């Protein structure tokens, strides 16, 4: 049987999992991520969870086909509700909207469950999602920007542990060296585009920013100042933030 082949965005998420982790995969769908983690000797054990029975039935078939019945537990669960304390040290949550993912984290209390690292890939509401993580002191350790089939995706690894360095503070230090901006704007830029991506001058992020800048210009051409003044102000502020981050690449 051929090895599991994941999409670029899911492969990027799996690359963030530390070796010998015990993983909880929320929203496992067909179970391909857990199988990939076991095939590649990344995880020691995976609890594969989904809120829907149909995908779990297919995941069960796939897990048996690949011979990982003893290493992968299939479990019907709304978020983290059916995960036992200390059963996993790493959470993977991909392929759903940012608002739903925030609800899963809020209700699932990952710290109380013993989760130390979270691999997260929200498909929407990135600004609000990063702000939620930061406000909750789930500090981002790493991020990956992925371009696949004409779309941009972001994967992030966040820590639940105390004593982790806050990349927002490092980014603000960098911003102050380039521009005398206040802390609030600096943090908003990080919420929008990702602190570790900015600090690393990620090339895929650069491509995304250039794409977004073009899109902002096209939108502004279609807006009337009298009819869409608030919308225009938001777009201009976004353009300014994009232009500032792009200036860091020079």
């Amino acid at each position: 049987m051929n090895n599991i082949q994941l999409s670029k965005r899911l492969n990027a998420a799996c690359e963030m999992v530390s070796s010998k982790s015990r993983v909880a995969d929320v929203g496992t769908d067909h179970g391909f991520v857990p199988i990939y983690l076991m095939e590649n000797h990344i995880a020691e054990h995976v609890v594969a969870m989904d809120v829907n029975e149909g995908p779990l039935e297919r995941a069960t078939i796939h897990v048996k086909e690949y011979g990982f019945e003893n290493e992968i537990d299939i479990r019907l669960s709304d978020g983290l509700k059916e995960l036992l304390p200390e059963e996993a040290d790493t959470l993977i949550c991909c392929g759903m909207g940012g608002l739903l993912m925030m609800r899963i984290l809020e209700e699932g209390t990952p710290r109380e469950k013993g989760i130390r690292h979270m691999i997260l890939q929200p498909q929407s509401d990135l600004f609000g999602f990063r702000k939620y993580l930061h406000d909750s002191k789930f500090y981002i350790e790493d991020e990956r920007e992925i371009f696949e089939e004409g779309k941009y995706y972001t994967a992030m690894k966040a820590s639940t542990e105390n004593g982790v360095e806050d990349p927002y503070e490092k980014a603000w230090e960098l911003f102050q060296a380039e521009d005398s901006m206040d802390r609030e704007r600096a943090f908003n830029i990080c919420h929008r585009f990702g602190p570790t991506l900015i600090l690393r001058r990620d090339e895929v992020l650069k491509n995304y920013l250039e794409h977004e800048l073009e899109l902002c210009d096209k939108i502004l051409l279609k807006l009337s100042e009298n009819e869409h003044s608030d919308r225009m102000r938001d777009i201009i502020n976004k353009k300014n933030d994009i232009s500032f981050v792009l200036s860091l690449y020079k």
Side-chain angles (χ1 to χ4, degrees), residues 24-211:
D25 180 31
V26 173
T28 195
D29 198 29
H30 293 184
F32 292 139
V33 165
I35 294 169
Y36 180 91
L37 293 173
M38 296 310 305
E39 272 191 334
N40 290 277
H41 310 288
I42 299 170
E44 288 189 340
H45 184 265
V46 183
V47 180
M49 298 180 287
D50 206 287
V51 71
N52 297 308
E53 292 185 1
L56 283 181
E57 291 174 1
R58 291 188 288 275
T60 300
I61 293 170
H62 295 147
V63 167
K64 287 181 178 178
E65 286 177 345
Y66 281 85
F68 290 117
E69 301 99 315
N70 294 328
E71 292 84 8
I72 300 174
D73 289 341
I74 308 292
R75 196 170 298 173
L76 185 68
S77 178
D78 181 3
L80 287 164
K81 290 180 180 178
E82 301 305 319
L83 184 72
L84 301 176
E86 305 301 329
E87 195 172 16
D89 53 49
T90 301
L91 165 67
I92 295 179
C93 194
C94 299
M96 61 189 75
L99 294 177
L100 174 56
M101 204 172 287
M102 279 187 265
R103 179 185 71 78
I104 288 171
L105 296 181
E106 191 69 21
E107 295 178 359
T109 59
R111 283 192 176 99
E112 295 177 16
K113 293 288 177 85
I115 298 293
R116 294 196 289 275
H117 302 284
M118 303 186 296
I119 317 299
L120 308 164
Q121 199 173 85
Q123 306 285 51
S124 60
D125 303 297
L126 279 169
F127 182 100
F129 188 76
R130 285 196 185 97
K131 185 177 187 303
Y132 165 78
L133 290 180
H134 194 259
D135 290 347
S136 303
K137 293 182 170 53
F138 294 142
Y139 292 139
I140 295 173
E141 300 175 275
D142 190 16
E143 295 172 283
R144 307 282 174 86
E145 191 76 8
I146 306 104
F147 183 71
E148 183 173 37
E149 296 183 353
K151 295 182 180 180
Y152 288 93
Y153 301 92
T154 304
M156 55 190 77
K157 181 176 185 178
S159 174
T160 68
E161 298 182 301
N162 296 324
V164 176
E165 188 174 29
D166 182 1
Y168 280 71
E169 297 293 345
K170 288 187 69 175
W172 185 34
E173 290 177 12
L174 171 65
F175 297 171
Q176 285 179 306
E178 301 291 333
D179 185 302
S180 57
M181 70 170 61
D182 60 39
R183 193 170 186 265
E184 181 179 4
R185 185 189 171 201
F187 278 30
N188 283 340
I189 290 174
C190 289
H191 293 329
R192 195 190 292 276
F193 303 124
T196 64
L197 291 170
I198 295 170
L199 287 167
R200 194 169 63 242
R201 276 76 159 184
D202 184 87
E203 282 299 318
V204 183
L205 174 66
K206 183 174 183 282
N207 295 338
Y208 169 75
L209 293 173
E210 290 170 343
H211 167 77

